[in-house]
Amino acid sequence: MQQAYSALPGETGDNPFSANLRYALAALRRHLWMAAGIVGFAVAAAVIITLLDTPRFTATTSVQINDQSEKVLGDELDGGTTETSDWDTDRFLNTQLDILRSRALALRVSRALDLDGNAAFLGAMEVSGQSEGMDGRARQEQVLDLLRSNMNVNLPRSTRIAGIGFTSTDPQMSARIANSFAEEFIQSNLQRRFDSTAYARNFVAEQLEEARSRLESSERELNDYARQAGLIRTRNSTSEDSTSSGSGSITASSLMQLSDAANQAQAARVQAETRWAAEQAVPLFSSQVVLADPTVQSLMTKRAEVQGNLQTARERYLPDHPTVTRLQADLASTEAQLNRTAGNVRNSIRADLVAARAAEKQLQAQVKRLEGATLAEQDKSVRYNTLAREADTNRSIYDGLLQRYRELNASAGVATSNLSIIDKADPPLVPSSPDLLRNLAVALLLGLSLAGAAVFLRDQLDDVIRVPEDVEGKLGLPLLGVIPRSQIDSPAQELEDAKSPMTEAYNSLRGSLLYSTQDGLPKIIAVTSAQPTEGKSTTSLALAQAFGKLGMRAVLIDADLRRPSLHTSAGVANERGLSDLLTGQALAADISVQVASGPFDLIPSGPLPPGPAELVASPRMAQLLEELSAAYDVVIIDSPPVLGLADAPMIAALADGTMFVVEAGRARSAQVKAALRRLRGTDPVLLGALLTKFDPEQAGNRYSAYYGREYYRYADGARG
C-alpha cells in the first residue's frame, strides 16, 4: 500500500531543477519584504560607508620579469643557458611574486625611504598618533605591516609584466613607495646574485687553500722518499706517464743510452769483422779499400812514373849506368813505401775490428752493471710512483680550483639583472577607492546572499504544512488528495454542488481510496486528525456522500463523543446514536438514519457519555464495527483528534484503514508527527494523509506541482 503512494501526484517525471526553482521563488515571495529589507540595508550601508570613507590613491609601477639575465661574459656560473618547462617558468614567476611580498623587501623599502617613524607616511596610512609610546622594534614592525598590507602585485598569465601597486591617502607617497618597491626589488635581486658568487668565491678559496696544503705535503713527502731511497728523478708533471717506472730516472736514462751505444758498437763490430774478412780474402793490391787510399794511389802513380823513366833509361843507357842505377833504387824505394802503405791500410781495418770488439765488450759490461742498478731502483720506485701519483692528483685538483677561482673573480657581479622597470609610477590623479559602483555591487551581492540565507533559514525553520509536497517531505506519509478551501461559509452546502471544486476534490479522494490497498477499498475507514477543526468531519461526510453516489451502501459513524458535528451538517437529530449502541440500549438498525443527499446512512454520536474512551475501548465497539461491515459496503468513522485523547488510536486499531487529515497553513509537522507516533502505537493501517483547506494563493504555492487556483473552477455558465 505504501508503494502505491511513494510518488506524489503530479510529481512523477518532474524536473528537479524546475521544482527547486519554483520552491525558491515561492519562498522568496513569501518572505519578499524581509529579503528586500536586508538588501536595502546592505545597499544603504554601502552608500554611507562609501561617503564616509577617506579617498585612497593607488600608484602602480610595471616591472618586466625575465626567466634569465643576460650574460656579459658568455657562459656564467651555471655553465650556459638551459631550456626550462612551462611549469618551471610558472614556479619561477611565483617565486618572484613571493619575493615582492616578502618582509625583507619591505624592510629595504622602509630603510631606503626612511619610513620608520615618518609622520608623513603614518599620516598617509591613517595611523597618526598610534605609534606614540612604541619602541623601535614595534614601530618597525608597524611600518612593515603597513607596507605589506597596502602593496599589491598583479601578474597576468599571458605576460611577464608585473604591476606593483601601493595604496595610501597621499598620491605622492603612493608613487614614491611603488617606485621604491620596484627599485629595491631589482637591487635585492642583484645583491642576491653577488652574495651567491661571493659565497662561491669564499668556498672555492677555502677548497683552494686545502688543495694547496695537500699538494705541498704530497710533494714534500715525495722528495723526502726520493732522498732517502737515493732516487734522482727529472720528473715532468705535465707528462701523462710521469709516474711510469722509468720516467725521469737518471739510471734508467743512462741504461737506455748505453744500451743504444752497445747496440751500435755491436753493429760496428759486425761491420768491422765483415770488412776484415773481405780484406783477407783478396790480395793486398786487389782490395778496394787499399786501392781507394789516396797515399797508395799516389805511390802507385809515382811507381808507374819511375818504371816508365827506368824503361826509357835502360833503352838509352847500359844497365850499370848511374841513371839506371838511380832509377832502380827509386823504384825499389817506391815499391817498399807502397807495400808498407798498403799494409798500413789493411792493418787499419784490422785495428778498427779490434777497437770495435773492445768497445762492444766495454759497453756490454756497463749495460749489465746499469741493468742491475735499474732493477734495484725499480723496487724502490713502487712507493715513489704511488707518492708521485698522489702529488699529480693534488696538483690537478689545485689547478682546477685555481682556474675556477679566477673565473669567479672575473665574473663576480658582472651579470645584468633579469628585472627591468617598464613604467614608473606617477602620482594618481583620481582616487582608486572608495568606488561607489563596486561597493554597491558588493553590497548588492552580499545583501542578496544574506537575504537568500535568511529566507532559506526561515523557510527551513517553518514547520507548518502549507503545500501538498510538505505532506510527504515533512511527514513521510503518502498524499491521498488535496481539498481546497471552501468558497462559502458552509462546506456542507458547497458539497451539495456536484461541480464545486470541493466536490471534485473529494471525488478524486474517493478514486484514491478505491485503490488504496491490494484488496481495493477498505471496509472500515477511520478519519482522524492531530487537532480539532482540521476538516475531518467534513471529509467523513463528503466521503459518505461520494460512495453513496456510486451506489455503494455506506454508513457514516460520528465517533467524536465529545464534540459531535455530523448531525448538524446532515440536518438530523442527535437524540440517539453511537453512545446508545455501545451501552447496549439500542440496535444499529434502529439508530441509523438515512441521509437523502448522500444517499448514505448516518449513525450520530448520541448523548454525550461521561467516559467516551471507555465506550470506544469496550468490546461492543469492535462487535458493532463487525456487524456494520457485514451490512454495508463501506463504514466511515469520524474519529476525534489524536492529541490529548485516547479514542482515535483505539478506533484506528479497529479500522481496516486510517486516513489522516491535515489542515494546510495551520498544522505543524511537529504536532502531526507527535500525533502519528501516538497513532502508530496501536499498529494501525495508515492509508495516507489528506491536505484540507488548501489555498494556493495564501500559501504562496508557486512551487507546488499541484493544481492552480483555476483548476477548481468551471468556466462561466458551465455549472448546471
Side-chain angles (χ1 to χ4, degrees):
M1 178 187 66
Q2 297 291 341
Q3 293 296 330
Y5 296 94
S6 59
L8 297 178
E11 195 175 61
T12 303
D14 192 14
N15 187 354
F17 176 77
S18 61
N20 293 332
L21 182 60
R22 290 196 302 271
Y23 183 92
L25 293 177
L28 180 62
R29 183 187 176 195
R30 288 197 304 272
H31 308 294
L32 182 60
W33 289 108
M34 180 187 69
I38 294 176
V39 174
F41 175 79
V43 172
V47 173
I48 294 173
I49 292 174
T50 301
L51 295 178
L52 296 179
D53 195 8
T54 303
R56 293 177 175 83
F57 299 86
T58 300
T60 303
T61 302
S62 58
V63 177
Q64 181 177 355
I65 304 176
N66 297 321
D67 290 347
Q68 295 195 13
S69 63
E70 298 178 358
K71 298 178 179 180
V72 177
L73 297 181
D75 293 339
E76 287 187 6
L77 303 181
D78 55 2
T81 303
T82 57
E83 297 182 358
T84 57
S85 63
D86 293 339
W87 184 81
D88 290 334
T89 301
D90 291 340
R91 184 173 60 176
F92 169 77
L93 294 176
N94 291 329
T95 302
Q96 299 303 311
L97 295 182
D98 290 339
I99 293 174
L100 277 169
R101 302 186 185 100
S102 65
R103 181 181 181 276
L105 185 60
L107 182 60
R108 291 177 64 97
V109 173
S110 175
R111 292 174 177 175
L113 299 179
D114 194 17
L115 299 180
D116 191 1
N118 191 317
F121 170 73
L122 296 177
M125 305 311 299
E126 300 179 282
V127 292
S128 300
Q130 297 184 12
S131 60
E132 297 180 0
M134 292 184 179
D135 56 6
R137 179 63 181 277
R139 286 197 305 270
Q140 184 184 51
E141 292 298 328
Q142 181 188 38
V143 172
L144 296 182
D145 291 340
L146 291 174
L147 289 175
R148 298 179 67 186
S149 60
N150 289 277
M151 189 272 293
N152 60 85
V153 183
N154 181 30
L155 179 62
R157 290 187 59 86
S158 59
T159 182
R160 300 289 179 86
I161 306 299
I164 305 174
F166 190 81
T167 303
S168 70
T169 60
D170 185 359
Q172 301 290 338
M173 183 64 68
S174 297
R176 286 181 58 200
I177 295 178
N179 290 328
S180 180
F181 262 105
E183 294 169 358
E184 293 301 324
F185 179 46
I186 297 175
Q187 292 296 328
S188 65
N189 181 66
L190 294 175
Q191 184 64 41
R192 283 194 305 275
R193 289 174 178 268
F194 181 79
D195 292 342
S196 63
T197 57
Y199 173 79
R201 291 197 306 274
N202 294 334
F203 176 77
V204 173
E206 294 176 359
Q207 297 297 316
L208 184 63
E209 181 63 23
E210 293 180 3
R212 186 188 63 79
S213 299
R214 289 195 299 269
L215 177 60
E216 290 181 356
S217 177
S218 60
E219 291 282 2
R220 187 178 297 108
E221 186 176 0
L222 178 63
N223 292 335
D224 292 342
Y225 179 78
R227 185 179 297 106
Q228 294 175 3
L231 298 176
I232 300 176
R233 298 287 180 108
T234 56
R235 295 180 62 252
N236 183 7
S237 60
T238 61
S239 177
E240 293 182 357
D241 61 345
S242 60
T243 59
S244 61
S245 61
S247 176
S249 173
I250 293 182
T251 303
S253 299
S254 300
L255 176 61
M256 293 177 63
Q257 293 176 0
L258 289 177
S259 295
D260 293 339
N263 293 333
Q264 294 175 2
Q266 184 179 7
R269 188 262 305 169
V270 172
Q271 185 178 4
E273 287 180 349
T274 303
R275 290 176 60 192
W276 177 247
E279 287 295 327
Q280 287 182 332
V282 296
L284 179 63
F285 288 100
S286 296
S287 172
Q288 295 295 329
V289 177
V290 174
L291 296 176
D293 186 74
T295 304
V296 173
Q297 292 178 358
S298 177
L299 291 174
M300 289 181 69
T301 301
K302 183 179 180 180
R303 187 186 66 175
E305 290 178 355
V306 172
Q307 286 178 351
N309 292 329
L310 180 62
Q311 183 68 27
T312 301
R314 282 179 178 177
E315 291 178 356
R316 181 180 296 180
Y317 301 108
L318 292 175
D320 56 354
H321 190 274
T323 301
V324 173
T325 304
R326 180 180 55 83
L327 289 174
Q328 288 179 349
D330 290 340
L331 178 62
S333 174
T334 300
E335 287 181 353
Q337 187 178 1
L338 177 61
N339 290 330
R340 186 170 56 254
T341 302
N344 291 336
V345 171
R346 176 169 286 184
N347 290 334
S348 65
I349 296 175
R350 181 180 179 183
D352 290 340
L353 173 61
V354 174
R357 287 176 178 175
E360 178 186 11
K361 184 176 180 180
Q362 185 178 4
L363 288 174
Q364 286 181 351
Q366 292 181 359
V367 166
K368 289 184 178 296
R369 179 178 59 81
L370 288 177
E371 284 179 353
T374 301
L375 291 175
E377 188 180 73
Q378 287 180 353
D379 294 336
K380 298 178 182 180
S381 296
V382 175
R383 173 63 177 166
Y384 180 88
N385 291 335
T386 301
L387 296 176
R389 290 190 184 94
E390 182 179 355
D392 291 339
T393 301
N394 291 334
R395 181 177 293 102
S396 177
I397 295 174
Y398 177 79
D399 291 340
L401 289 174
L402 182 60
Q403 180 65 25
R404 187 62 170 169
Y405 184 74
R406 291 171 179 172
E407 293 175 355
L408 289 173
N409 286 331
S411 62
V414 297
T416 60
S417 176
N418 62 330
L419 310 173
S420 59
I421 297 178
I422 303 301
D423 291 321
K424 285 192 174 183
D426 294 327
L429 301 178
V430 295
S432 59
S433 66
D435 188 345
L436 180 60
L437 294 179
R438 183 181 62 184
N439 292 347
L440 288 178
V442 172
L444 183 61
L445 181 61
L446 181 61
L448 291 175
S449 301
L450 293 177
V455 169
F456 175 78
L457 182 62
R458 185 169 181 179
D459 187 73
Q460 293 298 314
L461 294 177
D462 185 10
D463 64 344
V464 176
I465 307 299
R466 300 184 184 275
V467 293
E469 283 82 357
D470 291 342
V471 173
E472 188 175 70
K474 295 182 179 181
L475 303 180
L477 287 178
L479 182 64
L480 297 176
V482 180
I483 308 301
R485 181 177 293 277
S486 177
Q487 302 300 315
I488 59 178
D489 295 337
S490 176
Q493 294 180 5
E494 189 172 354
L495 288 174
E496 294 177 358
D497 185 0
K499 295 184 179 181
S500 67
M502 184 176 292
T503 303
E504 292 286 356
Y506 278 116
N507 289 338
S508 177
L509 174 63
R510 176 188 62 191
S512 299
L513 292 176
L514 288 175
Y515 304 98
S516 59
T517 65
Q518 295 180 353
D519 298 330
L521 179 68
K523 273 287 194 176
I524 303 174
I525 301 176
V527 181
T528 186
S529 64
Q531 53 189 343
T533 66
E534 292 196 66
K536 61 182 182 306
S537 298
T538 303
T539 298
S540 302
L541 180 63
L543 286 177
Q545 291 178 353
F547 287 123
K549 291 178 181 179
L550 287 180
M552 300 176 63
R553 292 174 300 168
V555 58
L556 176 59
I557 302 175
D558 191 350
D560 191 351
L561 300 181
R562 292 175 178 80
R563 296 177 60 184
S565 60
L566 288 179
H567 63 281
T568 303
S569 301
V572 299
N574 194 26
E575 297 177 354
R576 303 177 67 187
L578 180 61
S579 58
D580 296 317
L581 295 176
L582 295 179
T583 56
Q585 298 179 6
L587 298 177
D590 299 333
I591 298 300
S592 61
V593 179
Q594 186 174 12
V595 180
S597 60
F600 62 91
D601 292 344
L602 172 65
I603 300 178
S605 63
L608 301 181
E614 287 77 6
L615 290 180
V616 173
S618 64
R620 177 58 184 161
M621 184 66 180
Q623 182 181 359
L624 175 63
L625 293 178
E626 185 177 354
E627 294 175 358
L628 292 176
S629 63
Y632 292 91
D633 294 329
V634 59
V635 179
I636 302 173
I637 306 174
D638 181 17
S639 301
V642 176
L643 294 179
L645 303 177
D647 303 8
M650 291 184 290
I651 294 175
L654 298 175
D656 295 334
T658 301
M659 183 173 61
F660 203 88
V661 177
V662 179
E663 181 180 351
R666 179 191 173 197
R668 296 186 176 274
S669 60
Q671 295 176 343
V672 178
K673 289 179 181 179
L676 290 174
R677 283 194 296 270
R678 286 199 60 201
L679 202 61
R680 289 190 176 101
T682 59
D683 196 19
V685 178
L686 288 176
L687 301 177
L690 176 69
L691 186 66
T692 61
K693 304 180 183 181
F694 176 62
D695 188 352
E697 295 297 330
Q698 293 183 1
N701 186 25
R702 285 291 179 263
Y703 62 89
S704 176
Y706 284 81
Y707 326 98
R709 185 179 181 88
E710 297 300 325
Y711 177 88
Y712 299 100
R713 295 184 180 275
Y714 282 84
D716 295 340
R719 305 175 78 175

